Amino acid sequence: MVNDAQGTLVRVREEIQEELNSYLTLQREYLSGIGSELIPVCDALESFLLDGGKRLRPLFAYAGFLATDKIPSKEDIRAFTSLELLQACALIHDDLMDKSDTRRGKPAIHRHFENLHQSQAMHGLSEQFGEAAAVLLGDLALVWSDHMLHTSGISAQSLLSALSVHDEMRIELMAGQYLDVREAGEKYPNVDRSLRIARYKSGKYTIERPLHLGASIAIPDSNARKNLTHLLSSYGLPLGEAFQLRDDLLGIFGDPQTTGKPAGDDIREGKRTVLMAMTFDRARESAKAKLSELLGNENLSPSNIDTARTLISESGSVKVVEDLIDGLLSSALEAASSAEIGSSARQLLTLLATSAIHRSH
Amino acid sequence: MVNDAQGTLVRVREEIQEELNSYLTLQREYLSGIGSELIPVCDALESFLLDGGKRLRPLFAYAGFLATDKIPSKEDIRAFTSLELLQACALIHDDLMDKSDTRRGKPAIHRHFENLHQSQAMHGLSEQFGEAAAVLLGDLALVWSDHMLHTSGISAQSLLSALSVHDEMRIELMAGQYLDVREAGEKYPNVDRSLRIARYKSGKYTIERPLHLGASIAIPDSNARKNLTHLLSSYGLPLGEAFQLRDDLLGIFGDPQTTGKPAGDDIREGKRTVLMAMTFDRARESAKAKLSELLGNENLSPSNIDTARTLISESGSVKVVEDLIDGLLSSALEAASSAEIGSSARQLLTLLATSAIHRSH
């Protein structure tokens, strides 16, 4: 049975890739018609979108649609795929704000354009050019995501219904992003605040709203899908938080070969994650003092990173976070096993949940 | 007769202000429900949007609607007003990319949040916080503009028709912005390239597309408005270029009291405008060498700025640009006087054209 869901996952991922490919080909034609200077913009966004990415948000939208007992058409999958472009905007702007050097093992977009400026010996400051390019490529990806949704070919009724879920999702995303950036300005981490950020940035944006988007395209009447909407939230919110907690762990302990980010990246950035807040709640004063010194320090040696990892593990927070993930995953799986959800949707939701949580990147 | 158009202008500006006010009040309620940390975001965007702005894009959308011989309803005006939020995104991101300190006589958004970080003695780097906030506030304004359009209350048919104009406008805007940023990387300015940037950033984005948006809401069937669409382009494209050329002149010679930007701002930023490209085409070698030295120099004295202004004037480029503006304005007014456009629309288009060109800010 799980093999069916696995097959669906592989097939839908391929369809998402094809849709992205076709959309980007059209846009390359359009932009290069305006000016050949725009070709590096197309190159960079194609490489960013086609060479990696877990496609989680379109997959969850697919699962949300499937949960209505209907089968998504090619046009529906095109509409779901637009979420990858929104995610590209979020990641490009995120890396710029965090001043991260790498993404998926390659230079972040602002670094890529900084390098381009240097290698072409352009006039002016390379760093400023790289930053400006990242602002604009993120904006363009955001507008493209809208455009791809609007031109997906889904019915007018489905589109109008999707727009309201889509708008709310994007407002929540920006609010969550601001709270996250704002959190870095606090003197000390805080578990409740970090959990709220996880809820907006991941619970809602990564999982709950994509599920709702899929369901809203399948059943445009919001009253008719009310119960299902609640059920999808009961699955999506805990799973999204668990997803973010896994991200927190990977940001500290993940293998650069699989994460595509340098080892201990979150330590270097001093990221205020739930894991870090729990560590500060539990660690001894001397460990806290040492960690405060290491977190957010850009020039950490590999041995500094090992020290920070050890202090975090010794506080017991890793175990607490792993237990929390298990509990949240159970809640999500329980919601997915509701009798209201048909068997193929349930299988896909189960597979997506376990693979989102038991992952190495 | 012109008094009627003047009265319309005043009244519509007030309605735009009211619509912005109501929308921002609703969003403040929503965001402060997520977390009180978001209140400074609402404060900053309200101050940015309500304390200034010429409201040109909503006004051109109004005029485009009027050109169909229909009268815009409150819902239509709400839809037009969404363009102010898109423009807020463009300006916030523009100031961030240009590292401009001021906008409308107040600190630019990234500086405002940098100051907030300092005055509240927040943890981390103030400059990085300011930049991240500007990225996110711009993104939020972009998403809000979409949301305001979608929830304006216009008919589904009008909305679907508006979306395609709106998407094209936004893709053109981002393309134009990138070309502008890219142009700063060229060794020497170039008239043709700068004119193309003016076409995308101003001709299309500021005037032609807002006119089309208004017309598309009034007449959703694109075939039925085909002739009018062409006519509005014949008015909007030359006027938009003239508008940008006026901007170029104000960026060099404008009075800080009325522009809300420091004197000679474009000299300090080394902006590659059409005016500057024409100056380089005409100036003597010694003047070019001196100008190259001054342009893009952040630490210019008032006397340096005077020197640059004199060199630009002496090249004769100011006269050429003024003549070009006159010619473009005439073309726009000729298109507006077409028999296909009713008298109240014609009066408004005429008034908007002359006030967009004969302005001090």
Side-chain angles (χ1 to χ4, degrees), chain B residues 279-313:
Chain B
T279 301
F280 271 79
D281 274 0
R282 279 154 202 278
R284 283 186 230 140
E285 286 306 320
S286 62
K288 274 199 262 194
K290 182 72 193 159
L291 267 175
S292 296
E293 204 185 298
L294 295 170
L295 290 176
N297 183 334
E298 284 185 23
N299 306 307
L300 293 183
S301 67
S303 110
N304 288 148
I305 289 175
D306 276 344
T307 305
R309 284 175 170 164
T310 307
L311 292 170
I312 295 166
S313 297

PDB file of all heavy atoms in Angstrom, chain B residues 279-313:
ATOM      1  N   THR B 279      24.379  63.861 -21.231  1.00  0.00           N
ATOM      2  CA  THR B 279      25.476  64.735 -20.803  1.00  0.00           C
ATOM      3  C   THR B 279      26.805  64.153 -21.272  1.00  0.00           C
ATOM      4  O   THR B 279      27.646  64.857 -21.831  1.00  0.00           O
ATOM      5  CB  THR B 279      25.475  64.875 -19.267  1.00  0.00           C
ATOM      6  OG1 THR B 279      24.216  65.411 -18.856  1.00  0.00           O
ATOM      7  CG2 THR B 279      26.595  65.791 -18.797  1.00  0.00           C
ATOM      8  N   PHE B 280      26.989  62.854 -21.066  1.00  0.00           N
ATOM      9  CA  PHE B 280      28.252  62.214 -21.471  1.00  0.00           C
ATOM     10  C   PHE B 280      28.424  62.223 -22.986  1.00  0.00           C
ATOM     11  O   PHE B 280      29.537  62.294 -23.487  1.00  0.00           O
ATOM     12  CB  PHE B 280      28.351  60.788 -20.910  1.00  0.00           C
ATOM     13  CG  PHE B 280      28.987  60.768 -19.552  1.00  0.00           C
ATOM     14  CD1 PHE B 280      28.264  61.096 -18.422  1.00  0.00           C
ATOM     15  CD2 PHE B 280      30.344  60.471 -19.401  1.00  0.00           C
ATOM     16  CE1 PHE B 280      28.858  61.116 -17.164  1.00  0.00           C
ATOM     17  CE2 PHE B 280      30.949  60.486 -18.139  1.00  0.00           C
ATOM     18  CZ  PHE B 280      30.199  60.808 -17.026  1.00  0.00           C
ATOM     19  N   ASP B 281      27.302  62.161 -23.719  1.00  0.00           N
ATOM     20  CA  ASP B 281      27.388  62.221 -25.183  1.00  0.00           C
ATOM     21  C   ASP B 281      27.847  63.599 -25.660  1.00  0.00           C
ATOM     22  O   ASP B 281      28.405  63.727 -26.742  1.00  0.00           O
ATOM     23  CB  ASP B 281      26.011  61.941 -25.805  1.00  0.00           C
ATOM     24  CG  ASP B 281      25.782  60.450 -25.984  1.00  0.00           C
ATOM     25  OD1 ASP B 281      26.684  59.673 -25.621  1.00  0.00           O
ATOM     26  OD2 ASP B 281      24.695  60.057 -26.464  1.00  0.00           O
ATOM     27  N   ARG B 282      27.555  64.648 -24.863  1.00  0.00           N
ATOM     28  CA  ARG B 282      27.769  66.010 -25.324  1.00  0.00           C
ATOM     29  C   ARG B 282      28.947  66.732 -24.688  1.00  0.00           C
ATOM     30  O   ARG B 282      29.490  67.674 -25.272  1.00  0.00           O
ATOM     31  CB  ARG B 282      26.520  66.849 -24.985  1.00  0.00           C
ATOM     32  CG  ARG B 282      25.451  66.647 -25.972  1.00  0.00           C
ATOM     33  CD  ARG B 282      24.064  66.900 -25.399  1.00  0.00           C
ATOM     34  NE  ARG B 282      23.160  66.191 -26.265  1.00  0.00           N
ATOM     35  CZ  ARG B 282      22.726  66.663 -27.421  1.00  0.00           C
ATOM     36  NH1 ARG B 282      23.060  67.857 -27.807  1.00  0.00           N
ATOM     37  NH2 ARG B 282      21.945  65.934 -28.192  1.00  0.00           N
ATOM     38  N   ALA B 283      29.290  66.334 -23.466  1.00  0.00           N
ATOM     39  CA  ALA B 283      30.293  67.111 -22.720  1.00  0.00           C
ATOM     40  C   ALA B 283      31.685  66.947 -23.319  1.00  0.00           C
ATOM     41  O   ALA B 283      31.976  65.957 -23.995  1.00  0.00           O
ATOM     42  CB  ALA B 283      30.299  66.674 -21.259  1.00  0.00           C
ATOM     43  N   ARG B 284      32.545  67.948 -23.057  1.00  0.00           N
ATOM     44  CA  ARG B 284      33.943  67.842 -23.483  1.00  0.00           C
ATOM     45  C   ARG B 284      34.668  66.816 -22.605  1.00  0.00           C
ATOM     46  O   ARG B 284      34.203  66.520 -21.501  1.00  0.00           O
ATOM     47  CB  ARG B 284      34.630  69.194 -23.317  1.00  0.00           C
ATOM     48  CG  ARG B 284      34.230  70.137 -24.434  1.00  0.00           C
ATOM     49  CD  ARG B 284      35.028  71.427 -24.334  1.00  0.00           C
ATOM     50  NE  ARG B 284      34.104  72.547 -24.402  1.00  0.00           N
ATOM     51  CZ  ARG B 284      34.177  73.648 -23.675  1.00  0.00           C
ATOM     52  NH1 ARG B 284      35.155  73.792 -22.784  1.00  0.00           N
ATOM     53  NH2 ARG B 284      33.293  74.606 -23.805  1.00  0.00           N
ATOM     54  N   GLU B 285      35.822  66.331 -23.077  1.00  0.00           N
ATOM     55  CA  GLU B 285      36.574  65.295 -22.351  1.00  0.00           C
ATOM     56  C   GLU B 285      36.866  65.712 -20.910  1.00  0.00           C
ATOM     57  O   GLU B 285      36.707  64.928 -19.977  1.00  0.00           O
ATOM     58  CB  GLU B 285      37.893  64.965 -23.071  1.00  0.00           C
ATOM     59  CG  GLU B 285      37.717  64.140 -24.344  1.00  0.00           C
ATOM     60  CD  GLU B 285      36.930  62.852 -24.125  1.00  0.00           C
ATOM     61  OE1 GLU B 285      37.137  62.179 -23.093  1.00  0.00           O
ATOM     62  OE2 GLU B 285      36.070  62.534 -24.982  1.00  0.00           O
ATOM     63  N   SER B 286      37.266  66.975 -20.717  1.00  0.00           N
ATOM     64  CA  SER B 286      37.639  67.437 -19.374  1.00  0.00           C
ATOM     65  C   SER B 286      36.416  67.416 -18.449  1.00  0.00           C
ATOM     66  O   SER B 286      36.497  67.031 -17.284  1.00  0.00           O
ATOM     67  CB  SER B 286      38.240  68.842 -19.441  1.00  0.00           C
ATOM     68  OG  SER B 286      37.263  69.744 -19.943  1.00  0.00           O
ATOM     69  N   ALA B 287      35.258  67.811 -18.993  1.00  0.00           N
ATOM     70  CA  ALA B 287      34.035  67.822 -18.186  1.00  0.00           C
ATOM     71  C   ALA B 287      33.626  66.389 -17.839  1.00  0.00           C
ATOM     72  O   ALA B 287      33.214  66.091 -16.709  1.00  0.00           O
ATOM     73  CB  ALA B 287      32.921  68.528 -18.951  1.00  0.00           C
ATOM     74  N   LYS B 288      33.766  65.484 -18.820  1.00  0.00           N
ATOM     75  CA  LYS B 288      33.430  64.073 -18.577  1.00  0.00           C
ATOM     76  C   LYS B 288      34.299  63.490 -17.473  1.00  0.00           C
ATOM     77  O   LYS B 288      33.823  62.774 -16.595  1.00  0.00           O
ATOM     78  CB  LYS B 288      33.639  63.252 -19.857  1.00  0.00           C
ATOM     79  CG  LYS B 288      32.439  63.265 -20.769  1.00  0.00           C
ATOM     80  CD  LYS B 288      32.490  62.116 -21.751  1.00  0.00           C
ATOM     81  CE  LYS B 288      33.048  62.605 -23.069  1.00  0.00           C
ATOM     82  NZ  LYS B 288      32.840  61.650 -24.171  1.00  0.00           N
ATOM     83  N   ALA B 289      35.602  63.823 -17.538  1.00  0.00           N
ATOM     84  CA  ALA B 289      36.525  63.288 -16.547  1.00  0.00           C
ATOM     85  C   ALA B 289      36.141  63.783 -15.154  1.00  0.00           C
ATOM     86  O   ALA B 289      36.093  63.015 -14.188  1.00  0.00           O
ATOM     87  CB  ALA B 289      37.954  63.709 -16.882  1.00  0.00           C
ATOM     88  N   LYS B 290      35.813  65.055 -15.062  1.00  0.00           N
ATOM     89  CA  LYS B 290      35.445  65.640 -13.768  1.00  0.00           C
ATOM     90  C   LYS B 290      34.140  65.010 -13.261  1.00  0.00           C
ATOM     91  O   LYS B 290      34.019  64.650 -12.080  1.00  0.00           O
ATOM     92  CB  LYS B 290      35.293  67.165 -13.944  1.00  0.00           C
ATOM     93  CG  LYS B 290      34.950  67.933 -12.675  1.00  0.00           C
ATOM     94  CD  LYS B 290      36.127  67.996 -11.717  1.00  0.00           C
ATOM     95  CE  LYS B 290      35.709  68.474 -10.337  1.00  0.00           C
ATOM     96  NZ  LYS B 290      36.649  68.116  -9.270  1.00  0.00           N
ATOM     97  N   LEU B 291      33.162  64.851 -14.177  1.00  0.00           N
ATOM     98  CA  LEU B 291      31.872  64.267 -13.782  1.00  0.00           C
ATOM     99  C   LEU B 291      32.048  62.816 -13.315  1.00  0.00           C
ATOM    100  O   LEU B 291      31.443  62.398 -12.321  1.00  0.00           O
ATOM    101  CB  LEU B 291      30.895  64.295 -14.959  1.00  0.00           C
ATOM    102  CG  LEU B 291      29.963  65.510 -15.047  1.00  0.00           C
ATOM    103  CD1 LEU B 291      29.155  65.455 -16.325  1.00  0.00           C
ATOM    104  CD2 LEU B 291      29.025  65.564 -13.828  1.00  0.00           C
ATOM    105  N   SER B 292      32.884  62.058 -14.030  1.00  0.00           N
ATOM    106  CA  SER B 292      33.109  60.655 -13.652  1.00  0.00           C
ATOM    107  C   SER B 292      33.647  60.574 -12.232  1.00  0.00           C
ATOM    108  O   SER B 292      33.351  59.627 -11.495  1.00  0.00           O
ATOM    109  CB  SER B 292      34.123  59.999 -14.594  1.00  0.00           C
ATOM    110  OG  SER B 292      33.612  59.957 -15.893  1.00  0.00           O
ATOM    111  N   GLU B 293      34.407  61.581 -11.871  1.00  0.00           N
ATOM    112  CA  GLU B 293      35.013  61.630 -10.543  1.00  0.00           C
ATOM    113  C   GLU B 293      33.942  61.893  -9.478  1.00  0.00           C
ATOM    114  O   GLU B 293      33.990  61.348  -8.377  1.00  0.00           O
ATOM    115  CB  GLU B 293      36.004  62.782 -10.571  1.00  0.00           C
ATOM    116  CG  GLU B 293      37.134  62.745  -9.605  1.00  0.00           C
ATOM    117  CD  GLU B 293      37.922  64.062  -9.738  1.00  0.00           C
ATOM    118  OE1 GLU B 293      38.463  64.324 -10.853  1.00  0.00           O
ATOM    119  OE2 GLU B 293      37.939  64.817  -8.760  1.00  0.00           O
ATOM    120  N   LEU B 294      32.976  62.743  -9.835  1.00  0.00           N
ATOM    121  CA  LEU B 294      31.962  63.158  -8.854  1.00  0.00           C
ATOM    122  C   LEU B 294      30.816  62.152  -8.726  1.00  0.00           C
ATOM    123  O   LEU B 294      30.304  61.918  -7.629  1.00  0.00           O
ATOM    124  CB  LEU B 294      31.387  64.522  -9.249  1.00  0.00           C
ATOM    125  CG  LEU B 294      32.372  65.711  -9.227  1.00  0.00           C
ATOM    126  CD1 LEU B 294      31.733  66.941  -9.862  1.00  0.00           C
ATOM    127  CD2 LEU B 294      32.818  66.027  -7.801  1.00  0.00           C
ATOM    128  N   LEU B 295      30.427  61.549  -9.851  1.00  0.00           N
ATOM    129  CA  LEU B 295      29.256  60.664  -9.828  1.00  0.00           C
ATOM    130  C   LEU B 295      29.502  59.430  -8.971  1.00  0.00           C
ATOM    131  O   LEU B 295      30.516  58.758  -9.130  1.00  0.00           O
ATOM    132  CB  LEU B 295      28.915  60.216 -11.254  1.00  0.00           C
ATOM    133  CG  LEU B 295      28.346  61.295 -12.169  1.00  0.00           C
ATOM    134  CD1 LEU B 295      28.144  60.740 -13.567  1.00  0.00           C
ATOM    135  CD2 LEU B 295      27.021  61.793 -11.605  1.00  0.00           C
ATOM    136  N   GLY B 296      28.552  59.138  -8.077  1.00  0.00           N
ATOM    137  CA  GLY B 296      28.660  57.941  -7.257  1.00  0.00           C
ATOM    138  C   GLY B 296      29.586  58.118  -6.074  1.00  0.00           C
ATOM    139  O   GLY B 296      29.841  57.159  -5.330  1.00  0.00           O
ATOM    140  N   ASN B 297      30.055  59.346  -5.873  1.00  0.00           N
ATOM    141  CA  ASN B 297      30.900  59.632  -4.712  1.00  0.00           C
ATOM    142  C   ASN B 297      29.989  59.992  -3.533  1.00  0.00           C
ATOM    143  O   ASN B 297      29.239  60.970  -3.586  1.00  0.00           O
ATOM    144  CB  ASN B 297      31.832  60.788  -5.083  1.00  0.00           C
ATOM    145  CG  ASN B 297      32.801  61.126  -3.975  1.00  0.00           C
ATOM    146  OD1 ASN B 297      32.526  60.877  -2.811  1.00  0.00           O
ATOM    147  ND2 ASN B 297      33.942  61.688  -4.343  1.00  0.00           N
ATOM    148  N   GLU B 298      30.053  59.210  -2.489  1.00  0.00           N
ATOM    149  CA  GLU B 298      29.099  59.397  -1.385  1.00  0.00           C
ATOM    150  C   GLU B 298      29.360  60.643  -0.552  1.00  0.00           C
ATOM    151  O   GLU B 298      28.493  61.113   0.169  1.00  0.00           O
ATOM    152  CB  GLU B 298      29.095  58.161  -0.472  1.00  0.00           C
ATOM    153  CG  GLU B 298      28.341  57.014  -1.096  1.00  0.00           C
ATOM    154  CD  GLU B 298      28.210  55.823  -0.156  1.00  0.00           C
ATOM    155  OE1 GLU B 298      28.306  56.017   1.071  1.00  0.00           O
ATOM    156  OE2 GLU B 298      28.018  54.712  -0.663  1.00  0.00           O
ATOM    157  N   ASN B 299      30.589  61.129  -0.611  1.00  0.00           N
ATOM    158  CA  ASN B 299      30.929  62.245   0.282  1.00  0.00           C
ATOM    159  C   ASN B 299      31.050  63.583  -0.444  1.00  0.00           C
ATOM    160  O   ASN B 299      32.024  64.307  -0.279  1.00  0.00           O
ATOM    161  CB  ASN B 299      32.251  61.935   1.004  1.00  0.00           C
ATOM    162  CG  ASN B 299      32.186  60.598   1.714  1.00  0.00           C
ATOM    163  OD1 ASN B 299      31.267  60.362   2.501  1.00  0.00           O
ATOM    164  ND2 ASN B 299      33.127  59.715   1.425  1.00  0.00           N
ATOM    165  N   LEU B 300      30.047  63.903  -1.258  1.00  0.00           N
ATOM    166  CA  LEU B 300      30.108  65.156  -2.011  1.00  0.00           C
ATOM    167  C   LEU B 300      29.762  66.352  -1.133  1.00  0.00           C
ATOM    168  O   LEU B 300      28.815  66.296  -0.341  1.00  0.00           O
ATOM    169  CB  LEU B 300      29.133  65.103  -3.185  1.00  0.00           C
ATOM    170  CG  LEU B 300      29.441  64.106  -4.303  1.00  0.00           C
ATOM    171  CD1 LEU B 300      28.402  64.257  -5.410  1.00  0.00           C
ATOM    172  CD2 LEU B 300      30.834  64.326  -4.857  1.00  0.00           C
ATOM    173  N   SER B 301      30.501  67.444  -1.292  1.00  0.00           N
ATOM    174  CA  SER B 301      30.174  68.698  -0.593  1.00  0.00           C
ATOM    175  C   SER B 301      29.124  69.429  -1.436  1.00  0.00           C
ATOM    176  O   SER B 301      28.961  69.136  -2.628  1.00  0.00           O
ATOM    177  CB  SER B 301      31.423  69.556  -0.483  1.00  0.00           C
ATOM    178  OG  SER B 301      31.815  69.974  -1.772  1.00  0.00           O
ATOM    179  N   PRO B 302      28.421  70.419  -0.826  1.00  0.00           N
ATOM    180  CA  PRO B 302      27.485  71.231  -1.609  1.00  0.00           C
ATOM    181  C   PRO B 302      28.181  71.859  -2.817  1.00  0.00           C
ATOM    182  O   PRO B 302      27.593  71.966  -3.899  1.00  0.00           O
ATOM    183  CB  PRO B 302      27.024  72.293  -0.615  1.00  0.00           C
ATOM    184  CG  PRO B 302      27.143  71.638   0.724  1.00  0.00           C
ATOM    185  CD  PRO B 302      28.364  70.746   0.615  1.00  0.00           C
ATOM    186  N   SER B 303      29.454  72.225  -2.667  1.00  0.00           N
ATOM    187  CA  SER B 303      30.112  72.873  -3.809  1.00  0.00           C
ATOM    188  C   SER B 303      30.408  71.851  -4.917  1.00  0.00           C
ATOM    189  O   SER B 303      30.342  72.168  -6.105  1.00  0.00           O
ATOM    190  CB  SER B 303      31.365  73.637  -3.350  1.00  0.00           C
ATOM    191  OG  SER B 303      32.535  73.020  -3.805  1.00  0.00           O
ATOM    192  N   ASN B 304      30.716  70.593  -4.530  1.00  0.00           N
ATOM    193  CA  ASN B 304      30.873  69.526  -5.533  1.00  0.00           C
ATOM    194  C   ASN B 304      29.585  69.362  -6.332  1.00  0.00           C
ATOM    195  O   ASN B 304      29.607  69.163  -7.545  1.00  0.00           O
ATOM    196  CB  ASN B 304      31.150  68.179  -4.863  1.00  0.00           C
ATOM    197  CG  ASN B 304      32.544  68.070  -4.264  1.00  0.00           C
ATOM    198  OD1 ASN B 304      32.748  67.391  -3.265  1.00  0.00           O
ATOM    199  ND2 ASN B 304      33.517  68.763  -4.859  1.00  0.00           N
ATOM    200  N   ILE B 305      28.458  69.407  -5.615  1.00  0.00           N
ATOM    201  CA  ILE B 305      27.160  69.212  -6.284  1.00  0.00           C
ATOM    202  C   ILE B 305      26.907  70.358  -7.256  1.00  0.00           C
ATOM    203  O   ILE B 305      26.464  70.134  -8.395  1.00  0.00           O
ATOM    204  CB  ILE B 305      26.035  69.055  -5.235  1.00  0.00           C
ATOM    205  CG1 ILE B 305      26.209  67.700  -4.541  1.00  0.00           C
ATOM    206  CG2 ILE B 305      24.653  69.163  -5.865  1.00  0.00           C
ATOM    207  CD1 ILE B 305      25.268  67.429  -3.402  1.00  0.00           C
ATOM    208  N   ASP B 306      27.240  71.573  -6.826  1.00  0.00           N
ATOM    209  CA  ASP B 306      27.104  72.722  -7.735  1.00  0.00           C
ATOM    210  C   ASP B 306      27.958  72.548  -8.983  1.00  0.00           C
ATOM    211  O   ASP B 306      27.514  72.834 -10.103  1.00  0.00           O
ATOM    212  CB  ASP B 306      27.514  74.019  -7.017  1.00  0.00           C
ATOM    213  CG  ASP B 306      26.349  74.578  -6.202  1.00  0.00           C
ATOM    214  OD1 ASP B 306      25.199  74.146  -6.447  1.00  0.00           O
ATOM    215  OD2 ASP B 306      26.592  75.411  -5.302  1.00  0.00           O
ATOM    216  N   THR B 307      29.192  72.063  -8.773  1.00  0.00           N
ATOM    217  CA  THR B 307      30.082  71.836  -9.920  1.00  0.00           C
ATOM    218  C   THR B 307      29.444  70.848 -10.900  1.00  0.00           C
ATOM    219  O   THR B 307      29.392  71.092 -12.112  1.00  0.00           O
ATOM    220  CB  THR B 307      31.429  71.254  -9.425  1.00  0.00           C
ATOM    221  OG1 THR B 307      31.964  72.131  -8.443  1.00  0.00           O
ATOM    222  CG2 THR B 307      32.412  71.098 -10.571  1.00  0.00           C
ATOM    223  N   ALA B 308      28.943  69.716 -10.354  1.00  0.00           N
ATOM    224  CA  ALA B 308      28.333  68.706 -11.224  1.00  0.00           C
ATOM    225  C   ALA B 308      27.145  69.302 -11.970  1.00  0.00           C
ATOM    226  O   ALA B 308      26.981  69.096 -13.186  1.00  0.00           O
ATOM    227  CB  ALA B 308      27.904  67.498 -10.404  1.00  0.00           C
ATOM    228  N   ARG B 309      26.306  70.066 -11.254  1.00  0.00           N
ATOM    229  CA  ARG B 309      25.129  70.675 -11.897  1.00  0.00           C
ATOM    230  C   ARG B 309      25.551  71.580 -13.044  1.00  0.00           C
ATOM    231  O   ARG B 309      24.948  71.559 -14.126  1.00  0.00           O
ATOM    232  CB  ARG B 309      24.346  71.500 -10.877  1.00  0.00           C
ATOM    233  CG  ARG B 309      23.537  70.636  -9.921  1.00  0.00           C
ATOM    234  CD  ARG B 309      22.891  71.504  -8.860  1.00  0.00           C
ATOM    235  NE  ARG B 309      21.922  70.750  -8.073  1.00  0.00           N
ATOM    236  CZ  ARG B 309      21.437  71.169  -6.902  1.00  0.00           C
ATOM    237  NH1 ARG B 309      21.844  72.325  -6.379  1.00  0.00           N
ATOM    238  NH2 ARG B 309      20.563  70.434  -6.268  1.00  0.00           N
ATOM    239  N   THR B 310      26.594  72.392 -12.801  1.00  0.00           N
ATOM    240  CA  THR B 310      27.052  73.313 -13.842  1.00  0.00           C
ATOM    241  C   THR B 310      27.558  72.546 -15.064  1.00  0.00           C
ATOM    242  O   THR B 310      27.204  72.872 -16.206  1.00  0.00           O
ATOM    243  CB  THR B 310      28.178  74.213 -13.281  1.00  0.00           C
ATOM    244  OG1 THR B 310      27.694  74.827 -12.084  1.00  0.00           O
ATOM    245  CG2 THR B 310      28.573  75.282 -14.275  1.00  0.00           C
ATOM    246  N   LEU B 311      28.325  71.476 -14.819  1.00  0.00           N
ATOM    247  CA  LEU B 311      28.856  70.687 -15.941  1.00  0.00           C
ATOM    248  C   LEU B 311      27.724  70.066 -16.754  1.00  0.00           C
ATOM    249  O   LEU B 311      27.781  70.015 -17.988  1.00  0.00           O
ATOM    250  CB  LEU B 311      29.803  69.594 -15.417  1.00  0.00           C
ATOM    251  CG  LEU B 311      31.123  70.083 -14.811  1.00  0.00           C
ATOM    252  CD1 LEU B 311      31.852  68.943 -14.107  1.00  0.00           C
ATOM    253  CD2 LEU B 311      32.026  70.700 -15.892  1.00  0.00           C
ATOM    254  N   ILE B 312      26.701  69.599 -16.052  1.00  0.00           N
ATOM    255  CA  ILE B 312      25.561  68.989 -16.757  1.00  0.00           C
ATOM    256  C   ILE B 312      24.844  70.044 -17.600  1.00  0.00           C
ATOM    257  O   ILE B 312      24.587  69.839 -18.796  1.00  0.00           O
ATOM    258  CB  ILE B 312      24.605  68.311 -15.739  1.00  0.00           C
ATOM    259  CG1 ILE B 312      25.315  67.140 -15.042  1.00  0.00           C
ATOM    260  CG2 ILE B 312      23.322  67.834 -16.423  1.00  0.00           C
ATOM    261  CD1 ILE B 312      24.612  66.615 -13.800  1.00  0.00           C
ATOM    262  N   SER B 313      24.562  71.196 -16.993  1.00  0.00           N
ATOM    263  CA  SER B 313      23.870  72.270 -17.730  1.00  0.00           C
ATOM    264  C   SER B 313      24.680  72.727 -18.932  1.00  0.00           C
ATOM    265  O   SER B 313      24.141  72.902 -20.034  1.00  0.00           O
ATOM    266  CB  SER B 313      23.626  73.481 -16.822  1.00  0.00           C
ATOM    267  OG  SER B 313      22.788  73.135 -15.762  1.00  0.00           O
TER     268      SER B 313
END
